Amino acid sequence: MPPPTMSPSRSFIRNCIRHYSAPVDSSIPASKQQYIPTSGTYPKGFKVSGTHVGVKPANKSHPDLALIASDRPAFGAAVFTTNKFQAAPVQVSRSVLEKRGGTGLRSIIINSGCANAVTGAGGLDDAKAMAETASAQFQHSQPSSGSDADNLGPNSLVMSTGVIGQRLPIQKILAKIPTAYANLDDSHTAWLTTAKAICTTDTFPKLLSTTFTLPSTQHRGIEYRLAGMTKGAGMIHPNMATLLGILCTDAPIGASALKSLLTTAVNQSFNCISIDGDTSTNDTVAILANGAAAAAAAPQNTTPSLITEEASSKEDYDAMSSILTSFAQRLAQLVVRDGEGATKFVQVTVRHAPSHHDARAIASTIARSPLVKTALYGKDANWGRILCAIGYTPDISPDAVVPTKTNVSFVPAPNSKSKDEGVLKLLVNGEPESVDEERAARLLEDEDLHIEVDLGTGQEEANYWFCDFSHEYVTINGDYRT
């Protein structure tokens, strides 16, 4: 029998040179090197590892199993996708958190290369096996205490990312979890390797860390740390996206407060980005807080106070909310910068709207408009497409958009070459401006761009971050599974 022939369209896709996607050898493009940290300040009591399994048979050497572990029981919380086809690891992680009430968490185990989504009862069994095998590593090192917590099932969350509709090579993964545990380390290299292990079509690992302090007297003088990694490059749109996010802090935060803090942070970060308007089956952003820094700094025989939602903790809670939200926004923006085939990083700000909902809805509509995104890729100042998106935004207040009050401008980013040339006004109170096409061309040559919409109908505003659509996006997704 003669070998099967490849269709002309598939042959074209296979032979395209990919300028903006991940190189086949997994090297990091020169333009993305600037986003990779060369050092970090990581939270006390956490160790991580990235291990090669070969979830995809073609992967012969790159890490594709990540383990993030706390040396003590930690509080945990997570926000999950709203897609109706929720992947097995989403269902299992939600169950672990509910059974434990967000307490006693020890680790997060993650594989890339296969999403374990829409895989039926067998997929659920696989996700449970991953969580249970990861949890067993801690039971081996610390025998059962006999407490009720020992009867609550796995103390590990589980995540998966990759192709939908395929079963995991579960025995290969389970066999490597002890290796992942044995390789746990707290070095910057280990954190970076772990961030690489969760990548799929990402062109670079997304890792951040920071230090912070809290304002109240009881926390004064204690340096806390926060680290996070995320993955995602396509199928990105709230709520949330094909993204995974893992945050770790050594601050002492109670389970209920941790859940509300994470929800607020995600709503203003990962739920304010869009690559292509698709919401995935696997999206999960999780956080672990082990209190290790507070415990290390506290005098003997004292118990560090947890940050809670109580009035007595309001000062620290509010400060923590600001810190976590800002940090999550920085992480989420890295996802946009790595959008599949993207050449532009765009922030859209909608100001002076009647409500935050109105501002956010309009910003979201602009961000996911294919016509806006392709115009930006073509470096075309076609502001009519932005106006069109504003005008068809669904479910907003009747008086949110008044044409004679609407203003649209391009604003150069602070890091742009054309930043000294000022704002380029496109529409002022519904009247079109005479656009300087040469000025517009210079502005649109920059990688970063800020679109500002002033509705003039209220006092609320919202931000969204998105990227353009290129030929490369079609190439990547036309060839993703095969």
Side-chain angles (χ1 to χ4, degrees):
M1 180 181 293
T5 59
M6 187 178 293
S7 69
S9 60
R10 178 56 54 80
S11 177
F12 170 77
I13 289 172
R14 287 283 176 86
N15 292 316
C16 275
I17 297 173
R18 298 185 175 184
H19 296 283
Y20 304 107
S21 57
V24 293
D25 63 355
S26 296
S27 62
I28 298 167
S31 62
K32 303 297 177 68
Q33 291 283 352
Q34 62 182 308
Y35 304 119
I36 310 225
T38 56
S39 63
T41 51
Y42 300 105
K44 298 179 187 298
F46 284 98
K47 292 182 178 180
V48 299
S49 68
T51 302
H52 172 257
V53 172
V55 174
K56 280 189 171 182
N59 176 14
K60 303 301 183 183
S61 61
H62 302 299
D64 53 1
L65 183 68
L67 180 63
I68 297 93
S70 173
D71 66 5
R72 67 197 67 204
F75 293 105
V79 178
F80 300 102
T81 180
T82 58
N83 194 300
K84 296 297 183 184
F85 290 95
Q86 298 195 345
V90 169
Q91 298 178 56
V92 170
S93 291
R94 180 182 284 113
S95 176
V96 169
L97 286 169
E98 289 175 351
K99 285 182 179 179
R100 291 185 161 272
T103 65
L105 278 298
R106 294 300 301 272
S107 69
I108 302 173
I109 186 75
I110 310 158
N111 76 271
S112 62
C114 178
N116 191 12
V118 198
T119 46
L124 276 173
D125 290 341
D126 292 345
K128 291 175 184 175
M130 285 179 65
E132 289 167 354
T133 304
S135 300
Q137 309 310 307
F138 300 94
Q139 293 167 5
H140 294 158
S141 63
Q142 292 180 322
S144 172
S145 65
S147 69
D148 291 340
D150 294 326
N151 302 317
L152 295 176
N155 56 20
S156 179
L157 304 182
V158 59
M159 303 181 189
S160 298
T161 182
V163 177
I164 294 170
Q166 296 181 1
R167 288 286 298 276
L168 292 170
I170 190 62
Q171 294 307 320
K172 289 173 66 176
I173 293 173
L174 298 183
K176 282 297 184 79
I177 290 178
T179 302
Y181 180 80
N183 290 340
L184 287 171
D185 190 34
D186 59 5
S187 67
H188 171 68
T189 298
W191 279 88
L192 193 58
T193 300
T194 306
K196 291 177 180 177
I198 65 176
C199 291
T200 51
T201 58
D202 306 63
T203 68
F204 68 94
K206 301 160 187 67
L207 174 67
L208 292 176
S209 62
T210 191
T211 61
F212 63 94
T213 58
L214 295 171
S216 71
T217 302
Q218 59 185 325
H219 294 286
R220 190 166 297 158
I222 303 176
E223 178 187 81
Y224 293 113
R225 299 181 177 192
L226 173 63
M229 63 184 73
T230 187
K231 65 81 52 185
M235 204 181 282
I236 303 289
H237 190 71
N239 292 301
M240 288 172 290
T242 291
L243 68 82
L244 302 180
I246 303 95
L247 301 163
C248 302
T249 182
D250 52 19
I253 309 172
S256 177
L258 200 61
K259 174 67 173 178
S260 62
L261 287 166
L262 181 65
T263 300
T264 297
V266 166
N267 281 340
Q268 297 182 49
S269 58
F270 291 104
N271 280 346
C272 289
I273 62 174
S274 185
I275 301 295
D276 47 24
D278 276 324
T279 297
S280 170
T281 54
N282 289 57
D283 315 329
T284 304
V285 176
I287 186 169
L288 298 178
N290 67 6
Q300 284 189 329
N301 302 320
T302 64
T303 302
S305 298
L306 288 177
I307 299 170
T308 69
E309 298 171 283
E310 302 297 326
S312 59
S313 191
K314 187 177 188 313
E315 186 180 21
D316 292 322
Y317 180 92
D318 289 347
M320 193 70 233
S321 182
S322 178
I323 292 162
L324 187 62
T325 297
S326 176
F327 187 83
Q329 287 175 341
R330 290 170 57 204
L331 264 183
Q333 288 167 23
L334 289 178
V335 174
V336 177
R337 290 194 179 279
D338 202 20
E340 288 175 344
T343 70
K344 291 274 187 290
F345 173 83
V346 189
Q347 175 177 318
V348 57
T349 300
V350 177
R351 304 188 191 280
H352 297 116
S355 70
H356 178 75
H357 168 81
D358 292 333
R360 181 165 170 156
I362 291 169
S364 172
T365 303
I366 295 169
R368 69 176 186 267
S369 165
L371 291 180
V372 171
K373 293 160 81 72
T374 51
L376 293 174
Y377 171 64
K379 302 172 185 176
D380 181 8
N382 192 344
W383 56 267
R385 294 181 175 182
I386 299 171
L387 207 65
C388 180
I390 296 170
Y392 68 66
T393 302
D395 303 321
I396 57 175
S397 306
D399 58 349
V401 177
V402 177
T404 56
K405 294 183 178 180
T406 304
N407 298 265
V408 178
S409 302
F410 284 164
V411 181
N415 62 342
S416 68
K417 295 178 182 178
S418 60
K419 63 180 182 298
D420 295 331
E421 297 187 56
V423 174
L424 179 64
K425 295 183 179 181
L426 306 170
L427 187 76
V428 177
N429 292 328
E431 294 290 334
E433 293 289 286
S434 178
V435 177
D436 181 341
E437 294 295 343
E438 291 185 1
R439 164 72 183 111
R442 289 193 298 274
L443 195 151
L444 291 172
E445 281 291 331
D446 293 324
E447 179 181 343
D448 289 17
L449 175 67
H450 187 183
I451 298 172
E452 186 170 294
V453 176
D454 191 325
L455 298 178
T457 54
Q459 298 299 320
E460 298 297 321
E461 70 174 66
N463 292 307
Y464 233 82
W465 297 275
F466 69 102
C467 61
D468 57 346
F469 262 164
S470 70
H471 300 87
E472 192 79 356
Y473 177 83
V474 179
T475 301
I476 293 167
N477 285 285
D479 197 28
Y480 179 67
R481 191 172 70 90
T482 54

